[in-house]
Amino acid sequence: MVISLRTYLLILALLVVERIFELDRARRNARRAFQHGAVEVGRAHYRVMVAFHALFILSCAAEAAFFPRAFAPAVAWLALSAEIVAQALRYWAVSTLGDRWNTRIIVSPDRAPATDGPYRFMRHPNYLAVVIEIAAVPMMGGAIFTAIAFSIGNALILAVRIPAEERAMGGRYADALGSRRRFFPGLRHRPG
């Protein structure tokens, strides 16, 4: 075990509480968006994604409790630092989107994609935060198999979800964010 099991389970419990608040905020934002003519796409894969994230927390707890592994303390500190960066990036994206933020793909016909905040540098900062988190959170508790398995699973989910989201936003999305990289920050390439 990299950190005490009690501390690790407390961290996981805090993540569960955070997710509950996020789902509540997403429901409220969705309700407002639907009242203004928004539509939802990708419902089938959304259910898979929700189940995946619930299983992720359970897998972290189970592996840490039943198959503990000792790593160098530097691994736990690095993982904790990565999780802090992921949380900061997530909340930067959430605060930038405001009432447009959602865990579902909900498209409002009258609203352009965000191009400020972290969206100045990349198309999908929230998904980058999730990628980092899925690798980092298990490593804080020594759950290397969870980190590997769920990182692969998350890559598969994002391979479906990101194109679905980009298609749903259509030409507005390509016009606003087309030259930005999906995950890795970079400056927008301007020809000439």
Side-chain angles (χ1 to χ4, degrees):
M1 178 69 56
V2 178
I3 59 176
S4 76
L5 181 59
R6 174 179 277 165
T7 301
Y8 186 59
L9 294 177
L10 177 62
I11 291 168
L12 294 177
L14 290 172
L15 288 175
V16 169
V17 169
E18 176 188 47
R19 294 306 181 266
I20 290 168
F21 281 113
E22 286 176 352
L23 289 172
D24 181 60
R25 181 177 185 169
R27 273 191 285 276
R28 285 183 281 122
N29 288 347
R31 198 171 334 146
R32 279 191 293 272
F34 292 142
Q35 289 171 348
H36 292 96
V39 295
E40 180 178 3
V41 298
R43 272 192 192 169
H45 77 258
Y46 179 72
R47 291 183 184 117
V48 171
M49 190 175 76
V50 169
F52 175 84
H53 283 273
L55 287 172
F56 169 70
I57 297 291
L58 292 173
S59 183
C60 286
E63 186 174 350
F66 300 114
F67 306 101
R69 283 174 194 74
F71 290 131
V75 172
W77 285 109
L78 180 62
L80 178 61
S81 298
E83 173 60 8
I84 291 168
V85 168
Q87 288 291 338
L89 182 58
R90 168 185 281 114
Y91 284 101
W92 189 17
V94 168
S95 67
T96 298
L97 292 174
D99 67 353
R100 292 184 288 180
W101 177 83
N102 214 296
T103 56
R104 296 153 54 186
I105 301 174
I106 298 175
V107 182
S108 296
D110 61 335
R111 297 190 82 174
T115 57
D116 54 340
Y119 297 91
R120 288 180 302 202
F121 309 107
M122 66 186 95
R123 293 184 192 184
H124 300 287
N126 193 63
Y127 295 145
L128 176 59
V130 172
V131 167
I132 294 168
E133 186 171 67
I134 285 180
V137 169
M139 295 306 290
M140 287 189 286
I144 190 166
F145 291 115
T146 296
I148 293 168
F150 280 82
S151 289
I152 292 168
N154 188 51
L156 295 172
I157 288 172
L158 291 179
V160 172
R161 181 157 176 96
I162 290 173
E165 185 174 309
E166 291 179 355
R167 279 190 307 274
M169 293 296 290
R172 295 178 305 151
Y173 191 87
D175 292 343
L177 300 170
S179 65
R180 288 177 182 92
R181 298 176 187 159
R182 282 185 170 162
F183 292 117
F184 300 106
L187 298 177
R188 202 170 181 178
H189 173 35
R190 295 188 179 160

